[in-house]
């Protein structure tokens, strides 16, 4: 007897990037450096302490962790927030899911600017929301002149903006982000129960989520969207410990937002969603934030060096503020991808037609990639 799977899931495949056992893996934007011995020892010690109390539920509000994350953001971005304006979950994926549970849902629209992170439409689908992708310009910037018409047409409940963007690596210009936030006022879902929005509007502001998963890798002088939180109460900035902290296996993401938004997300979170072990491991990593940030600078330097090399090979290179580079264009990108794989080098076939994406590896991996690419392009 058939099972009553939701119709929109019929024929769908789960998210996944290729996981192949090859010498050079540069396809999932991971930090190429494993945790240092002292970080591993700190994690082991704190997790052992947490394990002694596993018969009890963890701190469901993760107050100590949120305080440490607030302190880290103050140092990294110059924006100081109270712990109450930080929220943590199992990866920024869960943070996004919680945001959409609270603010999207049936009859509401989630909007983004494409190409962008491939999970965004799946987040929307999972909460029964309509997903709308607005195409970016040829240089991957957002056409702000068209925002008023687009927002009026679609009335988005949530606008998702990856900055730096995945897969392009490009960051949203600060002026453009402010234009988006200004355009988001009063264009969201219809207010109910006699509620009245800002300026007497009968529609809510759209929630604008700036996904800064790769924020720490931005170039000198590129600001974080965190600087706009005081001015725009409908803004959410999400971060992760997967990339800059080299902790993809930890699954720890977080967001900064107004107190009202944080309290709304706390309504939909599952009880005790963040384990005691996860909280202990994240606190250990945060205790070594200075040495981990030194790795970020190494990756930045390697990224800029690799971008220059690819440009010198006659390729188009999208300006990157992330720990990866999108480059092209190729008449048959799959052939180039396959020729690299045949040499034991795995990158990602993703993004607009003709482009490929490579994560920044350790110096010897980047050198192997360049040599392999030259061979693949013959």
């Amino acid at each position: 007897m058939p099972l009553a799977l939701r119709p929109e899931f019929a024929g769908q495949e789960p998210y996944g990037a290729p996981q192949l056992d090859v010498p050079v893996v540069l396809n999932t934007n991971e930090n190429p450096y494993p945790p240092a011995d002292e970080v591993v020892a700190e994690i082991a010690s704190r997790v052992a302490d947490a394990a002694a109390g596993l018969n009890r539920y963890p701190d469901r509000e993760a107050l100590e962790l949120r305080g440490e994350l607030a302190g880290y953001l103050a140092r990294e971005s110059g924006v100081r927030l109270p712990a109450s304006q930080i929220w943590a979950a199992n990866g920024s994926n869960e943070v996004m899911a919680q945001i959409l549970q609270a603010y999207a849902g049936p009859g509401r629209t989630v909007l983004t600017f494409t190409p962008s992170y491939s999970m965004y439409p799946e987040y929307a689908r999972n909460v029964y929301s309509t997903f709308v992708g607005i195409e970016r310009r040829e240089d991957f910037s957002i056409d702000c002149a068209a925002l008023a018409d687009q927002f009026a047409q679609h009335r988005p409940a949530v606008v998702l903006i990856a900055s730096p963007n995945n897969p392009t690596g490009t960051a949203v210009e600060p002026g453009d982000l402010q234009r988006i936030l200004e355009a988001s006022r009063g264009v969201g879902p219809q207010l109910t129960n006699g509620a009245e929005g800002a300026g007497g509007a009968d529609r809510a502001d759209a929630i604008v989520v700036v996904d800064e998963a790769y924020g720490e890798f931005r170039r000198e002088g590129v600001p974080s969207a965190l600087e706009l939180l005081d001015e725009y109460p409908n803004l959410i900035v999400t971060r992760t410990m997967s990339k800059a902290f080299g902790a993809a296996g930890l699954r720890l993401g977080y967001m900064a937002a107004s107190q009202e938004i944080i309290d709304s997300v706390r309504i939909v979170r599952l009880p005790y969603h963040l384990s005691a072990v996860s909280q202990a491991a994240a606190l250990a990593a945060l205790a070594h934030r200075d040495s981990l940030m030194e790795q970020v600078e190494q990756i930045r330097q390697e990224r800029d060096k690799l971008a220059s090399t690819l440009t010198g090979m006659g390729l188009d290179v999208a300006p990157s503020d992330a720990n990866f580079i999108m480059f092209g264009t190729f008449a048959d990108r799959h052939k180039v991808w396959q020729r690299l794989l045949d040499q034991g080098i795995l990158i990602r076939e993703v993004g607009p037609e003709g482009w490929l994406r490579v994560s920044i590896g350790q110096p010897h991996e980047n050198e192997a990639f360049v040599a392999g690419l030259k061979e693949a392009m013959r």
Side-chain angles (χ1 to χ4, degrees), residues 50-63:
L54 287 182
N55 58 310
R56 302 295 184 187
Y57 286 113
D59 175 8
R60 63 174 174 262
E61 301 297 336
L63 292 174

Side-chain angles (χ1 to χ4, degrees), residues 309-310 312-316 327-330 335-337 339-340 343 356 369-378:
T309 298
L310 294 175
M313 291 168 61
L315 294 165
D316 294 325
F327 64 98
T329 59
F330 302 98
K335 182 182 289 186
V336 176
W337 178 88
R339 285 177 174 175
L340 281 164
Q343 299 174 71
L356 292 167
F369 161 70
V370 169
L373 181 61
K374 288 177 178 177
E375 179 67 26
M377 289 172 59
R378 284 186 180 181

Side-chain angles (χ1 to χ4, degrees), residues 28-240:
T28 53
N29 302 340
E30 296 161 323
N31 187 319
Y33 297 100
D37 290 345
E38 59 267 24
V39 179
V40 173
E42 177 93 11
I43 290 173
S45 175
R46 295 208 187 205
V47 168
D49 290 342
L54 287 182
N55 58 310
R56 302 295 184 187
Y57 286 113
D59 175 8
R60 63 174 174 262
E61 301 297 336
L63 292 174
E64 182 182 3
L65 175 58
R66 290 160 68 191
E68 289 298 314
L69 288 168
Y72 163 71
L73 287 179
R75 182 163 184 176
E76 192 276 333
S77 70
V79 178
R80 182 166 295 280
L81 298 166
S84 62
Q85 283 187 245
I86 307 294
W87 183 249
N90 294 285
S92 54
N93 298 100
E94 187 179 34
V95 171
M96 291 286 189
Q98 291 173 340
I99 293 168
L100 265 61
Q101 282 180 286
Y103 289 100
R108 295 190 172 189
T109 296
V110 176
L111 184 147
T112 194
F113 302 94
T114 57
S116 198
Y117 184 37
S118 60
M119 278 298 295
Y120 289 165
E122 298 189 22
Y123 295 149
R125 176 202 65 192
N126 291 351
V127 295
Y128 301 90
S129 292
T130 299
F131 178 79
V132 172
I134 304 295
E135 192 171 349
R136 293 169 180 255
R137 293 191 181 110
E138 285 190 11
D139 64 355
F140 309 124
S141 64
I142 294 170
D143 184 1
C144 292
L147 285 175
D149 289 341
Q150 290 163 348
F151 285 177
Q153 177 185 352
H154 298 293
R155 296 295 181 184
V158 180
V159 179
L160 301 176
I161 306 171
S163 182
N165 187 36
N166 180 8
T168 66
T170 50
V172 177
E173 291 290 334
D176 285 351
L177 181 54
Q178 286 193 280
R179 292 183 190 98
I180 294 167
L181 286 161
E182 288 295 332
S184 71
R185 297 180 189 269
V187 300
Q190 190 81 34
L191 292 166
T192 58
N193 301 324
E196 189 174 273
D202 62 351
R203 287 186 176 274
D205 294 346
I207 296 293
V208 177
V209 183
V210 178
D211 180 353
E212 290 191 345
Y214 304 96
E216 284 92 341
F217 299 102
R218 64 192 187 277
R219 290 169 292 180
E220 193 71 30
V222 177
S224 167
L226 291 164
E227 296 181 14
L228 299 173
L229 279 173
D230 277 349
E231 190 175 351
Y232 298 98
N234 61 322
L235 171 63
I236 300 173
V237 182
T238 63
R239 289 284 188 100
T240 180

Side-chain angles (χ1 to χ4, degrees), residues 293-372:
M293 288 306 100
E294 291 175 6
Q295 287 184 356
V296 168
E297 182 55 33
Q298 293 173 19
I299 293 169
R300 281 200 200 105
Q301 292 175 9
E302 283 294 314
R303 174 198 63 204
D304 295 343
K305 178 182 175 182
L306 181 56
S308 178
T309 298
L310 294 175
T311 300
M313 291 168 61
L315 294 165
D316 294 325
V317 177
S320 179
D321 283 284
N323 68 333
F324 57 85
I325 293 171
M326 195 174 76
F327 64 98
T329 59
F330 302 98
D332 187 348
R333 68 173 176 180
H334 182 72
K335 182 182 289 186
V336 176
W337 178 88
Q338 185 62 57
R339 285 177 174 175
L340 281 164
L341 184 59
D342 292 343
Q343 299 174 71
I345 302 164
L346 179 62
I347 64 171
R348 191 75 182 269
E349 188 178 1
V350 69
E353 191 61 38
W355 294 82
L356 292 167
R357 191 192 72 194
V358 61
S359 307
I360 305 305
Q362 296 186 38
H364 71 277
E365 294 173 314
N366 299 329
E367 291 167 5
F369 161 70
V370 169

